[in-house]
């Protein structure tokens, strides 16, 4: 839930200038928020200080003096994302006691998240726990579940699902407008919410007269059954994934292998570090662990990579992840997923054939960004490569949209309602649909229209 409804700048302090902290500081500074970044490493701060419009404080964030120097007593949101989860938990406890209104701690032990209500972290002063590694593992699992799509996101455990794909010539509605497609397929359970034309960087919110074209990257919202309909009409096949090969035995690879093997997948994991490989093999008895870095093509052939339904590259090097996925594609693997740290690789990787890209920084930012959006924001995600956000708002009795039909709402043209979840059931909501108090409304909007949309749900 978001608790900040006024339109002044939020005062946000970030502890930790590593990859997640810097990326968050960069994105939040673009939002014209008042950002302070704390880190003991002078080099990490120097780059942020010269490239971002933020304030930096050099020092250990566990120091009360440093927190006071960062003006913790006026802080709306405190985010601890250092590499140490114990440090993050400690800092958040201190920050809350010193006046921070809300705190978020990055952790790696997912047990903390599973048992957060039982332990009662809020009593200690920690309002939210996030694990970029656990978010990445969950994203991978969802991508395997919806294997025909490039990008997916679930709202309310799948009541509504976002699905992104590229339209091929075989798509039934290529060459037709949105209105024409709706007339031909009136009983469908999906709606387009964003389109990026082939070869461009421009994102548009589709209207009735928008024409679908071959090569378009289109994002849809689907209700129950909509994903299967979408596959059928676009010529995609949502193949069942059973045999999976994972490159990289770090936290993401380990969590993914553990979760998939526990759900009945046949998993092979490649890990280059011998000691780490043996440790994983001892702990994950259902997983076949191979001591290899995955760049040996002959070894991949020996391990029957061509028989795999999916190849997941989550090693520490983005370039190795991309190249190994391309090798997997040449061997006939239908679904490839690569972990990439460099955001610039997203366009390149899609154009050369990798199905799904995962970025820890982006996932962490999405999870945290909902706390700076105004209105009752329940969930949000930024669309990869598209200048747009998907936001899930909970409608209050005082909201401007409450008890109004969608067509009567003064909605900006650069935003669209994709669907509504009512009493746990997802629905594709058209113009005559009346929004009620308690509804959860999923909205796609370009960045320029976010403030106008937020006002409708305050």
């Amino acid at each position: 839930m978001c608790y900040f409804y006024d339109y002044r700048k939020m005062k946000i302090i970030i502890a930790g200038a590593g990859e997640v902290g810097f990326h968050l500081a960069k994105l939040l500074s673009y939002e014209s928020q008042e950002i302070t970044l704390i880190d003991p490493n002078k080099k990490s701060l120097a780059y942020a200080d010269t490239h971002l419009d933020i304030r930096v404080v050099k020092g250990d964030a566990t120091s009360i003096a440093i927190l006071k120097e960062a003006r913790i007593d006026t802080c709306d949101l405190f985010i601890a994302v250092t590499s140490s989860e114990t440090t993050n938990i400690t800092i958040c406890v201190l920050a809350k006691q010193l006046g921070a209104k809300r705190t978020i701690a990055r952790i790696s032990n997912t047990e903390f998240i599973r048992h957060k209500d039982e332990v009662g972290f809020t009593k200690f002063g920690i309002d939210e726990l996030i694990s970029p590694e656990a978010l990445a593992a969950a994203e991978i699992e969802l991508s395997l579940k919806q294997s025909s799509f490039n990008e997916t996101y679930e709202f309310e455990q799948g009541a509504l699902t976002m699905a992104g794909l590229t339209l091929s010539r075989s798509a039934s509605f290529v060459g037709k407008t949105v209105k024409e497609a709706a007339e031909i397929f009136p009983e469908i359970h999906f709606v387009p919410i964003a389109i990026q034309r082939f070869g461009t960087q421009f994102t548009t919110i589709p209207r009735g007269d928008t024409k679908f074209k071959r090569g378009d990257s289109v994002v849809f919202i689907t209700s129950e059954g909509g994903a299967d309909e979408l596959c059928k009409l676009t010529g995609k096949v949502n193949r069942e994934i059973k045999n999976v090969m994972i490159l990289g035995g770090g936290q993401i690879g380990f969590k993914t292998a553990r979760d998939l093997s526990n759900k009945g997948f046949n998993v092979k994991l490649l890990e280059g570090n011998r000691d780490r490989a043996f440790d994983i093999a001892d702990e994950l008895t259902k997983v076949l662990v191979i001591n290899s870095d995955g760049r040996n093509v002959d070894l991949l052939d020996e391990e029957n990579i061509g028989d795999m339904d999916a190849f997941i590259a989550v090693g520490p090097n983005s370039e190795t992840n991309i190249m190994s996925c391309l090798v997997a594609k040449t061997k006939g693997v239908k679904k490839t997923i690569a972990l990439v740290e460099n955001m610039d690789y997203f366009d390149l990787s899609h154009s050369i054939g990798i199905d799904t890209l995962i970025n820890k920084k982006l996932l962490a930012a999405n999870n945290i960004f909902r706390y700076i959006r105004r209105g009752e924001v329940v969930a949000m995600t930024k669309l990869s490569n598209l200048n747009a956000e998907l936001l899930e708002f909970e409608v209050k009795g005082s909201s401007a949209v409450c008890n109004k039909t969608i067509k009567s709402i003064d909605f900006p043209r650069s935003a669209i309602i994709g669907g509504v979840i009512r009493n746990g059931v997802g629905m594709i909501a058209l113009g005559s649909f009346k929004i009620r108090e308690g509804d959860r409304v999923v909205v796609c909007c370009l960045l320029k229209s976010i403030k106008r949309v937020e006002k409708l749900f305050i």
Side-chain angles (χ1 to χ4, degrees):
M1 299 287 180
C2 184
Y3 293 91
F4 308 105
Y5 305 132
D6 60 333
Y7 278 77
R8 66 183 175 83
K9 282 186 178 182
M10 279 182 65
K11 294 181 180 179
I12 302 171
I13 299 175
I14 301 170
E19 58 180 27
V20 174
F22 177 81
H23 187 68
L24 272 172
K26 180 171 71 172
L27 293 179
L28 290 167
S29 68
Y30 292 162
E31 297 266 329
S32 300
Q33 306 294 349
E34 189 176 317
I35 311 299
T36 299
L37 183 62
I38 305 174
D39 198 275
N41 189 309
K42 187 177 181 179
K43 284 185 179 179
S44 299
L45 288 178
Y47 186 84
D49 192 27
T50 54
H51 289 77
L52 304 177
D53 183 20
I54 64 172
R55 177 174 175 245
V56 300
V57 173
K58 181 182 178 298
D60 184 349
T62 59
S63 162
I64 292 174
I66 291 296
L67 290 175
K68 286 185 175 180
E69 183 183 342
R71 302 168 196 154
I72 192 69
D73 58 319
T74 62
C75 174
D76 293 309
L77 181 62
F78 184 88
I79 307 167
V81 286
T82 75
S83 58
S84 166
E85 69 180 358
T86 53
T87 299
N88 294 335
I89 289 170
T90 301
I91 300 170
C92 283
V93 172
L94 290 173
K96 194 76 167 188
Q97 294 301 315
L98 293 170
K101 292 184 179 67
R102 190 167 188 84
T103 62
I104 300 174
R106 173 188 179 178
I107 52 97
S108 55
N109 184 352
T110 52
E111 274 192 331
F112 290 157
I113 294 177
R114 289 198 300 272
H115 300 287
K116 66 179 181 180
D117 294 331
E118 180 183 344
V119 174
F121 282 96
T122 53
K123 290 184 291 189
F124 306 139
I126 304 167
D127 295 302
E128 192 66 50
L129 299 168
I130 65 161
S131 166
E133 294 78 18
L135 291 170
E139 185 88 354
I140 290 167
E141 192 171 337
L142 180 58
S143 294
L144 295 181
K145 179 181 172 184
Q146 302 287 355
S147 63
S148 60
F149 303 123
N150 299 333
E151 186 177 10
T152 54
Y153 186 87
E154 287 188 341
F155 295 92
E156 307 300 313
Q157 288 77 52
L160 290 175
T161 300
M162 178 269 284
L165 51 78
T166 301
L167 296 184
S168 63
R169 185 183 301 166
S170 61
S172 301
F173 42 79
V174 163
K176 296 179 176 63
T177 65
V178 172
K179 184 178 180 181
E180 289 169 344
E183 289 170 350
I184 297 169
F185 312 108
E187 299 302 319
I188 58 175
H189 298 85
F190 62 84
V191 63
I193 57 169
I195 295 179
Q196 186 180 80
R197 295 294 186 203
F198 176 73
T200 75
Q201 298 296 314
F202 300 107
T203 303
T204 59
I205 301 297
R207 296 295 167 187
D209 58 354
T210 302
K211 184 176 286 189
F212 294 107
K213 296 181 180 180
R214 178 188 175 192
D216 282 351
S217 292
V218 187
V219 178
F220 297 87
I221 288 290
T222 72
S223 58
E224 186 177 358
D228 292 335
E229 293 172 350
L230 191 53
C231 286
K232 186 176 179 180
L233 292 173
T234 56
K236 304 286 183 181
V237 178
N238 204 28
R239 295 179 177 84
E240 183 183 5
I241 304 292
K242 193 66 178 175
N243 301 312
V244 178
M245 185 176 286
I246 299 172
L247 168 64
Q251 288 190 48
I252 296 174
F254 177 86
K255 291 178 193 300
T256 302
R258 180 194 63 196
D259 295 346
L260 293 180
S261 63
N262 286 339
K263 292 183 178 180
F265 289 79
N266 301 320
V267 181
K268 291 183 180 181
L269 187 146
L270 310 178
E271 168 54 45
N273 182 288
R274 182 179 174 83
D275 292 337
R276 176 65 178 163
F278 274 103
D279 288 342
I280 295 172
D282 287 341
E283 195 162 346
L284 303 183
T285 55
K286 299 177 185 176
V287 176
L288 175 59
V289 182
I290 302 158
N291 180 213
S292 170
D293 64 5
R295 288 177 290 185
N296 186 329
V297 178
D298 290 336
L299 184 138
L300 292 176
D301 281 332
E302 289 173 15
E303 293 303 328
N304 301 316
I305 188 173
D307 294 337
M308 295 296 114
D309 299 312
F311 183 87
I312 304 166
V314 288
N317 185 280
S318 296
E319 289 81 2
T320 300
N321 293 339
I322 290 171
M323 292 308 297
S324 60
C325 279
L326 294 178
V327 170
K329 273 294 185 186
T330 66
K331 302 296 181 181
V333 179
K334 299 301 181 184
K335 181 71 175 182
T336 54
I337 301 173
L339 177 73
V340 297
E341 295 304 323
N342 190 332
M343 298 295 290
D344 295 333
Y345 285 150
F346 269 75
D347 281 339
L348 172 64
S349 299
H350 279 312
S351 68
I352 56 180
I354 296 175
D355 298 308
T356 301
L357 297 167
I358 305 289
N359 182 280
K360 288 190 303 182
K361 295 178 289 189
L362 187 60
L363 291 171
N366 286 348
N367 202 265
I368 290 170
F369 252 66
R370 62 194 174 103
Y371 295 102
I372 71 161
R373 293 283 173 247
R374 283 128 180 128
E376 293 285 339
V377 178
V378 183
M380 73 147 288
T381 183
K382 285 179 176 288
L383 301 179
S384 301
N385 283 333
L386 276 70
N387 189 32
E389 286 185 10
L390 264 179
L391 295 150
E392 180 187 357
F393 293 96
E394 184 170 345
V395 178
K396 299 187 297 181
S398 59
S399 300
V401 300
C402 191
N403 296 321
K404 288 187 178 180
T405 59
I406 289 176
K407 61 186 176 185
S408 68
I409 300 169
D410 183 23
F411 226 67
R413 286 190 61 81
S414 51
I416 187 172
I417 291 177
V420 175
I421 300 170
R422 179 174 291 167
N423 299 323
V425 178
M427 298 169 280
I428 301 302
L430 303 179
S432 59
F433 186 93
K434 181 178 278 190
I435 295 173
R436 299 176 187 166
E437 182 177 0
D439 284 350
R440 296 195 169 193
V441 180
V442 175
V443 179
C444 179
C445 50
L446 302 187
L447 301 187
K448 63 183 180 182
S449 62
I450 287 174
K451 282 188 169 58
R452 280 187 62 191
V453 171
E454 287 172 340
K455 285 182 180 179
L456 295 170
F457 290 90
I458 290 176

